[in-house]
Amino acid sequence: MWPLTRIILRIFTVSTLSTFVARYKQEELQIGGDWRQFNRVCYLVIVGFIPAPAEPAMNAGQQDIQIKRVSSRKRPRDGLKAYLTPARERGRGSCVQPCPGNSRFSSIMAQIQPAEYCSDSEDLFGDYDSILEDSSLLAKLDDAEQNERDLQSAAHIVAVDQQDCATLRLSKDGVWKRSCEDILSDSILDGLGDEAFEDLPASQIQFQEQVRDNIKRSRLQDGDRTSTPSRKSDRTAEAGTDGNTEDKSKRQNKARRSMTDQLKRAMLCNAAAPSSVSRTVVLKEAVVSEEISVAMQAMETVSAETTDLGPFFGLPTKVKDLLHKLRGIMNLYDWQQMCLNLDCVQQRKNLIYSLPTSGGKTLVAEILILRELLCRKKDCLFILPYISLVQEKVRGLASFGLELDFMVEEYAGSKGKFPPVKRRNKTSIYITTIEKAHSLVNSLIETSRLDNLGLVVVDELHMLGDGSRGAVIEMTLAKLLYMSKKTQIIGMSATLGNIRDLQTFLKAENYTNDFRPVQLKEYVKLNDTIYEVDPKEEDCFKFSRLLKFKYSSAMQKIDPDHIIALVAEVIPTHSCLVFCPTKKNCENVAGMICKYLKKEFLQHREAGKAVLLRELRDSGNGSVCPVLRRTVPYGLAYHHSGLTTEERKLVEEAYSNGVLCLLTCTSTLAAGINLPARRVILRSPYVGTDFLKRSQYKQMVGRAGRAGIDTVGESILILQDKERNMAKTLVCAPMENCFSNLMHDGGKGILSLILSLVGLNITTSLEQMREFLRGTLLHVQEKQLCVEKSLWDVVQQCVDLLKEKDLITVTSDSHGQTLQVTKLGKATYKGSVDLTYSDVLYKDLSKGLEGLLLNSYLHLVYLVTPYDMISQCKPDWMVYFRQFTLLTAAEQKMSAAVGVPESFVTRKAAGQTVKNNVNMVVVRRMYLALVLFSLLKETNLWSVADRFQLSRGFIQTLLSSSSAFCSCVLHFTEELEEFWPFKALLTELTRRLSYCVKAELIPLMEVAGVMESRAKQLYNAGYKTLTHLANADPAVLSKTIENLYKKQANQIVASAKMLLNEKAAALQEEVDDLLMMPLDLPTALKTQQLV
């Protein structure tokens, strides 16, 4: 059968089966798989439904086959007959035309009717082609066959001996003719039979082997009886001379099956053959693999004119299907398509693209990431500003990773391994916070693995101008630009005034668009009048309308800004966000609005609000915030950092699902996860005591308008008369500029940069340092930022300071100065420890080793309490005293050893003057350590907050900061041999601080998006391990767990599977490393040479 299949391929000269599959996919013809699919796709090429470029592949007496559609009629079925004359009866000369040697076959289609498919059992051939409606193809095969017979017979006669010729003449009506047929058939099949056909699907290889086995068995059983005549010429001669008359007559009467009959029979057998492999699985794998292969080849040969590399921007069609299935995205916006088709994107140049909030920037980045992961097989780095955004993105991409076979790894807080696990067979996307991204890039440079990083995406690129975090972004990007020429950088940014500076820094193109999926109308409110923002107006404001809400005198006093009137126009039918300047103001405004809302608000989504209150109570172990208890029944809540992580997540989910219709919030919500609203109200043009920046204002108002729900979004800025002129600048002025922050806070950024450059051996001399700094944003903006001192003077000063701190050494020789990092310097940059605290941390750890308390966590907790949180703490001395008296004698002794004796705490609690010189920094740090120590013992955040008279939000921040700092201290101690005992101790403490729950819940809380209350629900429902959760049915899970939506259940299960795969892959990599043959294994020759 296979030789006949090869004949089809040679006739139409389509180079590989993949071309058939790709074109079959493009035509969206949903037909069978395996052999049946292959034959039918061949058939479609034959009849011209799929065009196939071809070259002459079969020489039939200097004639090439040309297929021509000559009839538009279909063969009727179910008793209807069509009277068509076979081509060979009409005359073969009219069907076959000579063509030039290099010509291609053409298929000229007549008027095409809608396709009518035959059943699997129906004879697709008959006396003519039932799809082509013309027997010319099969007739031409007969012509080719006949020509081959004539040629072979002529050659045979010339070669035959005179004696044999006499014998042949005597039997020319019988055996001679049969032998020619044998030669003909075998001459065609012999040339094809032993060739290995490449790139076959598993199902076809398996079927081919089965056919071969059947042929062998039949030959053993039947001897010489076979459908293909024997190739031995001596058998033919013997049959002509010695065979009996009966055998001769049988062989003469038995008609030789023509090539046409064999072709028809073979293809029908192939089509009817059952497949032992799942047809759906094979088809899916074949299509995805083929499309990825095509995209990879296209990307390697990409040119400036190329705009589309594959079915879906160079990606398999499966990606488009997943976007529709998981996110409901059917089509991309025009700007997204334009951006993805930019020449610089196709040529993998760096790009900065700027759009308003909610414009769909992230989807473009995700498509580029998927293309890098799947097509170029390179790892990717996605940098996000906040932990909540990292966790949300990990949950969102986990399902894609499972479907498309790549890893999604979280680097936030205490999570993340440095360097990352080296994977041989899979690519990874590292989703990180700003700080973790810097540490990750450092580890890749140190292990010479930076070339594995194909793409880096930076969200909120304008945060380059945001203090110390902006300095970390700049350091990370500068190292990437200097060390790897193959890594592409994509930056998503708000519109900036000096975007050209960023372009120069990143060597990037820029794409800007003002697209918004929903139109935004900006308003300001002065007194009881609403004005529309219009930059074309001289005053920037254009009168719109008057507020019609009637206020009583009491309401006017309580709500002079008419917030109640503004929100009542949209809720509860639509959603609303109210941005407030302070956290306390958020709570007050939410409570005030509730007092004057109608009772009908209580009935809106009543069941959902009851569930929310119950979940809030569970998350607080029976406690609920009094403000939320009062506001949630009306569909209102507040959102700021004073809430715990779990409370914020519950409030966000309830708002997204429509249970809550209004949130009062601080500006941090605008920069966090996407929570759009029909109307956004800015309670004041201030954040705290600082006047709003234009970028902050644009970020807040950008939340107005929900794509797919609203046709328009509204923002209203509430102003006082004295703020009118400042507001004009805010709403109408151009965007602010973005400046380098390496010189921020006394030059901490450039100090850290120089230390890490020396430690990573990127630069070992001042001249190399100068060359590196030429590639920073600071160098681009040197004239504006280095006014008092030149950049070179700043570098010299920094090197001297690092030398004083014993972080680097400087040696001079004839070639100049050489810079080297010390052990302390290496520990500092690898642990990402602030240079201000590195020497203090070293002293504290050294002192701690002298009398380390091991029967309690208190000493270790004190050592990892963050230094930058100390200034935010004001101890309550009575609380301090009560907690101190609860400590054991060993713990009190440890406290005295670090500098907080019992006598000091007792005197302060009694209000007495303390004469002893006590370090208050140590005292405050010990107070925070007591808070963390209490939290580890009972894990109830609410009771600890109540006991220490601190807000639960502050304690939540303290806990997350401590777990992150504990991870930094762990990396710090790993580089210093004298601190070896801390490695095992801090590893477990990091884990405890990261989750701060009972030990049995930790495996469940490792899954992105699973908080403590949800972990308890899962554990009680029987999902007690990560394996349980990874193998759960999302549908069953959503029914079992109260208030767990199916989408959330899918995300949780996908995240659990991804985490399980990640852990399994890491273990497999260790196994592979252990079993790998050493490259430097001594051989016998080397051993002799050494001897």
Side-chain angles (χ1 to χ4, degrees):
M1 295 183 188
W2 266 102
L4 298 176
T5 306
R6 289 198 184 92
I7 289 175
I8 297 172
L9 291 179
R10 292 198 174 189
I11 290 172
F12 300 103
T13 62
V14 180
S15 58
T16 62
L17 179 60
S18 62
T19 308
F20 277 131
V21 176
R23 289 184 175 168
Y24 151 72
K25 187 67 178 177
Q26 290 171 7
E27 296 295 324
E28 299 181 356
L29 299 175
Q30 302 300 321
I31 57 179
D34 293 335
W35 282 89
R36 186 173 304 157
Q37 177 206 32
F38 176 76
N39 283 333
R40 290 184 175 177
V41 172
C42 290
Y43 227 51
L44 290 172
V45 177
I46 291 172
V47 302
F49 274 82
I50 301 177
E55 296 175 1
M58 181 177 178
N59 182 8
Q62 304 301 322
Q63 296 185 75
D64 292 333
I65 297 175
Q66 184 177 12
I67 304 168
K68 181 180 293 185
R69 185 180 296 277
V70 297
S71 174
S72 62
R73 294 165 53 193
K74 286 181 173 286
R75 182 176 72 176
R77 301 184 195 157
D78 301 322
L80 298 178
K81 295 183 179 180
Y83 300 96
L84 298 176
T85 305
R88 58 179 172 272
E89 295 182 16
R90 293 195 303 267
R92 291 170 183 161
S94 61
C95 295
V96 181
Q97 299 175 6
C99 301
N102 294 325
S103 65
R104 296 180 179 273
F105 297 117
S106 62
S107 178
I108 305 171
M109 299 178 64
Q111 182 179 0
I112 298 173
Q113 301 292 333
E116 182 178 341
Y117 297 106
C118 304
S119 67
D120 294 338
S121 60
E122 184 181 349
D123 180 9
L124 299 181
F125 299 84
D127 289 332
Y128 63 95
D129 186 344
S130 60
I131 298 179
L132 183 63
E133 301 185 289
D134 180 18
S135 60
S136 59
L137 169 65
L138 300 180
K140 288 163 193 169
L141 282 173
D142 288 338
D143 289 342
E145 189 174 10
Q146 184 60 44
N147 288 331
E148 190 72 17
R149 283 195 189 100
D150 296 339
L151 291 172
Q152 293 291 345
S153 61
H156 185 75
I157 291 171
V158 172
V160 171
D161 196 270
Q162 291 295 328
Q163 293 177 1
D164 291 333
C165 284
T167 306
L168 287 170
R169 289 190 193 99
L170 293 174
S171 57
K172 63 181 179 181
D173 295 329
V175 180
W176 184 86
K177 184 175 180 180
R178 185 186 62 77
S179 67
C180 288
E181 289 179 359
D182 291 351
I183 294 170
L184 165 73
S185 299
D186 292 345
S187 68
I188 295 173
L189 299 180
D190 284 350
L192 301 169
D194 297 327
E195 285 182 23
F197 196 81
E198 300 178 356
D199 300 328
L200 295 178
S203 60
Q204 294 186 15
I205 293 173
Q206 185 177 6
F207 184 78
Q208 184 183 10
E209 290 173 354
Q210 290 174 359
V211 170
R212 287 172 177 170
D213 292 341
N214 291 337
I215 292 172
K216 288 179 181 178
R217 283 197 296 271
S218 65
R219 283 179 176 173
L220 290 173
Q221 293 172 5
D222 300 337
D224 291 336
R225 286 180 298 165
T226 175
S227 60
T228 305
S230 172
R231 301 181 185 181
K232 295 182 179 179
S233 59
D234 58 342
R235 282 191 186 180
T236 306
E238 289 174 6
T241 57
D242 301 330
N244 57 49
T245 308
E246 186 178 56
D247 283 345
K248 290 179 182 179
S249 62
K250 283 182 180 178
R251 292 184 182 181
Q252 289 171 359
N253 294 332
K254 185 177 180 182
R256 170 70 181 176
R257 186 179 295 117
S258 70
M259 182 63 66
T260 301
D261 294 333
Q262 291 191 60
L263 178 62
K264 293 186 327 188
R265 182 173 180 179
M267 292 186 71
L268 287 171
C269 288
N270 290 348
S275 173
S276 59
V277 181
S278 170
R279 185 170 65 188
T280 305
V281 172
V282 172
L283 280 178
K284 283 184 178 178
E285 291 179 356
V287 171
V288 172
S289 299
E290 176 60 26
E291 289 179 347
I292 290 176
S293 176
V294 170
M296 289 176 66
Q297 293 172 8
M299 291 184 73
E300 290 174 0
T301 58
V302 68
S303 65
E305 292 76 27
T306 303
T307 57
D308 192 2
L309 301 179
F312 185 67
F313 301 102
L315 287 166
T317 309
K318 186 174 182 180
V319 174
K320 185 177 182 180
D321 297 338
L322 285 173
L323 285 173
H324 182 213
K325 175 184 173 182
L326 300 175
R327 299 188 183 176
I329 298 173
M330 291 286 291
N331 298 298
L332 271 61
Y333 296 128
D334 290 343
W335 83 262
Q336 291 171 328
Q337 297 184 38
M338 188 183 303
C339 187
L340 287 167
N341 287 324
L342 290 172
D343 289 346
C344 62
V345 174
Q346 306 293 357
Q347 296 166 12
R348 298 193 69 256
K349 294 181 179 178
N350 297 343
L351 173 70
I352 302 170
Y353 61 99
S354 309
L355 278 99
T357 303
S358 303
K361 295 191 293 289
T362 306
L363 180 59
V364 170
E366 288 175 346
I367 290 173
L368 293 174
I369 287 171
L370 291 174
R371 192 158 70 181
E372 198 72 20
L373 291 168
L374 301 179
C375 299
R376 299 193 71 248
K377 300 296 182 183
K378 293 288 187 179
D379 297 331
C380 296
L381 174 61
F382 198 167
I383 305 175
L384 296 162
Y386 304 109
I387 293 176
S388 60
L389 292 177
V390 170
Q391 293 173 341
E392 182 188 26
K393 191 56 63 182
V394 168
R395 291 196 301 272
L397 289 178
S399 297
F400 286 87
L402 292 173
E403 292 284 347
L404 300 171
D405 198 30
F406 62 85
M407 304 301 297
V408 179
E409 301 185 38
E410 178 182 349
Y411 281 76
S414 61
K415 291 185 178 180
K417 186 174 182 179
F418 303 102
V421 176
K422 189 174 183 179
R423 308 190 190 282
R424 294 182 179 87
N425 301 320
K426 284 192 177 183
T427 51
S428 296
I429 173 173
Y430 310 115
I431 305 178
T432 76
T433 55
I434 292 169
E435 293 76 15
K436 289 289 183 178
H438 187 224
S439 299
L440 183 66
V441 169
N442 283 345
S443 69
L444 291 174
I445 292 173
E446 188 175 26
T447 54
S448 302
R449 288 170 52 191
L450 193 60
D451 285 342
N452 293 336
L453 197 63
L455 176 66
V456 175
V457 175
V458 186
D459 193 13
E460 311 291 354
L461 184 64
H462 54 268
M463 288 186 70
L464 275 165
D466 186 17
S468 59
R469 303 195 82 203
V472 176
I473 297 175
E474 185 174 349
M475 287 188 278
T476 305
L477 295 178
K479 289 174 184 174
L480 287 167
L481 289 166
Y482 188 81
M483 295 299 295
S484 177
K485 306 303 180 186
K486 296 180 180 179
T487 303
Q488 184 183 17
I489 298 174
I490 302 290
M492 297 181 281
S493 172
T495 306
L496 296 172
N498 63 338
I499 196 72
R500 289 193 176 278
D501 285 355
L502 270 63
Q503 283 183 253
T504 305
F505 165 47
L506 294 178
K507 303 177 181 64
E509 304 284 336
N510 177 236
Y511 176 82
T512 303
N513 199 306
D514 59 358
F515 170 82
R516 276 185 56 88
V518 178
Q519 182 186 2
L520 172 63
K521 292 186 176 180
E522 297 178 41
Y523 299 95
V524 298
K525 175 192 163 295
L526 279 164
N527 301 319
D528 58 353
T529 307
I530 305 291
Y531 297 91
E532 184 177 356
V533 175
D534 187 356
K536 297 177 182 178
E537 293 287 323
E538 184 179 351
D539 199 29
C540 270
F541 305 136
K542 181 173 67 176
F543 175 80
S544 178
R545 62 187 175 91
L546 292 172
L547 279 175
K548 298 178 181 179
F549 198 88
K550 295 182 179 179
Y551 268 50
S552 64
S553 57
M555 281 186 67
Q556 188 66 37
K557 289 180 181 178
I558 293 174
D559 183 24
D561 295 324
H562 306 99
I563 295 174
I564 297 171
L566 294 173
V567 301
E569 291 178 345
V570 290
I571 64 170
T573 308
H574 301 288
S575 57
C576 183
L577 293 175
V578 181
F579 286 99
C580 303
T582 65
K583 290 186 284 189
K584 190 63 179 175
N585 192 236
C586 287
E587 299 175 31
N588 292 339
V589 169
M592 175 195 70
I593 295 172
C594 286
K595 288 181 181 178
Y596 293 96
L597 290 179
K598 297 177 181 179
K599 298 299 180 184
E600 287 81 2
F601 279 82
L602 294 171
Q603 300 170 4
H604 183 73
R605 300 291 297 269
E606 188 174 4
K609 290 183 282 194
V611 172
L612 174 59
L613 282 172
R614 188 160 60 251
E615 288 190 326
L616 288 169
R617 189 177 295 108
D618 291 341
S619 71
N621 291 305
S623 302
V624 181
C625 169
V627 177
L628 291 178
R629 190 188 299 119
R630 187 169 70 253
T631 61
V632 166
Y634 287 90
L636 278 65
Y638 68 90
H639 184 288
H640 59 61
S641 60
L643 295 172
T644 64
T645 303
E646 192 158 2
E647 285 175 320
R648 285 201 297 271
K649 188 171 185 296
L650 289 171
V651 167
E652 289 163 2
E653 287 178 354
Y655 179 82
S656 297
N657 295 322
V659 175
L660 298 176
C661 58
L662 184 144
L663 293 182
T664 57
C665 50
T666 54
S667 59
T668 52
L669 183 137
I673 67 171
N674 188 20
L675 294 176
R678 171 63 177 270
R679 177 174 289 181
V680 170
I681 299 171
L682 280 67
R683 168 75 176 76
S684 166
Y686 289 89
V687 173
T689 57
D690 299 325
F691 199 79
L692 274 177
K693 297 178 182 177
R694 178 162 172 77
S695 57
Q696 290 174 316
Y697 168 77
K698 280 294 185 183
Q699 207 164 36
M700 291 180 190
V701 302
R703 296 298 183 198
R706 298 165 297 174
I709 300 175
D710 299 325
T711 56
V712 67
E714 302 171 340
S715 71
I716 301 174
L717 172 61
I718 298 175
L719 298 174
Q720 307 302 322
D721 287 328
K722 62 182 180 181
E723 298 162 348
R724 181 168 186 147
N725 290 331
M726 294 175 69
K728 288 179 186 177
T729 304
L730 176 66
V731 299
C732 295
M735 296 298 293
E736 297 104 337
N737 293 331
C738 175
F739 292 104
S740 169
N741 273 268
L742 287 179
M743 302 293 292
H744 175 74
D745 196 12
K748 279 186 180 180
I750 195 167
L751 273 171
S752 296
L753 176 60
I754 292 173
L755 176 62
S756 63
L757 290 177
V758 175
L760 293 168
N761 287 320
I762 296 175
T763 60
T764 57
S765 67
L766 290 175
E767 187 56 40
Q768 290 178 344
M769 189 78 65
R770 179 183 295 185
E771 181 185 351
F772 179 92
L773 290 173
R774 288 194 187 102
T776 62
L777 181 61
L778 178 61
H779 180 265
V780 175
Q781 300 172 335
E782 183 178 2
K783 292 181 180 178
Q784 297 112 300
L785 301 178
C786 299
V787 179
E788 297 179 359
K789 296 180 182 177
S790 68
L791 180 56
W792 182 242
D793 291 337
V794 171
V795 171
Q796 291 279 12
Q797 186 177 344
C798 289
V799 169
D800 293 339
L801 184 57
L802 291 171
K803 185 179 177 183
E804 287 178 17
K805 285 180 169 285
D806 195 29
L807 299 175
I808 64 171
T809 59
V810 181
T811 56
S812 300
D813 54 25
S814 58
H815 301 289
Q817 292 182 325
T818 302
L819 308 178
Q820 287 184 319
V821 70
T822 64
K823 288 185 177 180
L824 178 60
K826 187 175 183 180
T828 301
Y829 86 78
K830 291 199 75 172
S832 300
V833 177
D834 191 322
L835 295 180
T836 308
Y837 306 121
S838 62
D839 53 344
V840 178
L841 176 62
Y842 183 85
K843 291 175 183 176
D844 285 345
L845 291 172
S846 300
K847 190 176 181 181
L849 277 180
E850 296 173 4
L852 188 60
L853 182 65
L854 294 177
N855 64 352
S856 167
Y857 271 118
L858 181 60
H859 199 171
L860 287 173
V861 167
Y862 171 79
L863 292 173
V864 299
T865 301
Y867 293 104
D868 56 0
M869 294 285 292
I870 295 173
S871 60
Q872 303 176 40
C873 169
K874 270 188 134 182
D876 182 313
W877 295 110
M878 283 304 298
V879 172
Y880 207 153
F881 175 73
R882 282 196 296 270
Q883 294 304 309
F884 198 92
T885 56
L886 295 175
L887 299 176
T888 64
E891 289 167 346
Q892 289 184 5
K893 184 178 179 181
M894 183 280 297
S895 178
V898 299
V900 187
E902 181 184 8
S903 59
F904 172 80
V905 178
T906 304
R907 288 176 179 274
K908 293 295 287 185
Q912 298 177 3
T913 305
V914 180
K915 296 181 180 179
N916 296 336
N917 187 16
V918 177
N919 187 342
M920 289 304 296
V921 171
V922 175
V923 172
R924 292 194 185 98
R925 195 179 186 208
M926 177 56 73
Y927 187 72
L928 292 178
L930 289 173
V931 174
L932 292 169
F933 185 56
S934 299
L935 201 54
L936 284 177
K937 286 197 296 184
E938 56 185 281
T939 72
N940 190 334
L941 192 146
W942 279 79
S943 62
V944 172
D946 184 59
R947 184 182 311 144
F948 284 88
Q949 296 299 299
L950 296 169
S951 74
R952 61 191 184 283
F954 175 81
I955 293 181
Q956 179 80 70
T957 303
L958 173 64
L959 183 62
S960 56
S961 297
S962 298
S963 67
F965 186 62
C966 186
S967 178
C968 292
V969 175
L970 173 60
H971 293 304
F972 181 88
T973 57
E974 285 175 341
E975 299 301 320
L976 298 166
E977 294 179 3
E978 59 268 34
F979 294 145
W980 64 267
F982 285 115
K983 182 175 181 179
L985 296 171
L986 293 180
T987 300
E988 178 58 25
L989 182 59
T990 301
R991 192 164 180 258
R992 292 287 302 274
L993 289 172
S994 296
Y995 304 105
C996 199
V997 293
K998 293 180 180 178
E1000 62 265 22
L1001 298 180
I1002 290 179
L1004 298 176
M1005 290 191 65
E1006 288 179 339
V1007 179
V1010 176
M1011 299 288 110
E1012 183 180 359
S1013 62
R1014 184 72 78 202
K1016 288 179 181 177
Q1017 286 180 313
L1018 293 168
Y1019 190 86
N1020 293 333
Y1023 301 97
K1024 298 185 177 183
T1025 65
L1026 183 62
T1027 307
H1028 283 131
L1029 203 52
N1031 290 283
D1033 183 347
V1036 175
L1037 195 65
S1038 62
K1039 292 177 181 177
T1040 306
I1041 306 301
E1042 187 180 20
N1043 202 35
L1044 181 65
Y1045 297 96
K1046 191 171 181 180
K1047 181 181 177 181
Q1048 296 169 324
N1050 283 323
Q1051 287 185 337
I1052 288 175
V1053 172
S1055 298
K1057 286 181 179 178
M1058 180 58 67
L1059 185 59
L1060 195 65
N1061 289 346
E1062 186 181 329
K1063 291 187 174 186
L1067 292 174
Q1068 186 61 50
E1069 293 291 337
E1070 288 185 21
V1071 172
D1072 292 343
D1073 288 340
L1074 287 172
L1075 298 178
M1076 183 181 291
M1077 179 75 72
L1079 297 176
D1080 57 349
L1081 186 69
T1083 62
L1085 180 61
K1086 288 183 179 179
T1087 306
Q1088 291 175 2
Q1089 290 176 348
L1090 289 172
V1091 173

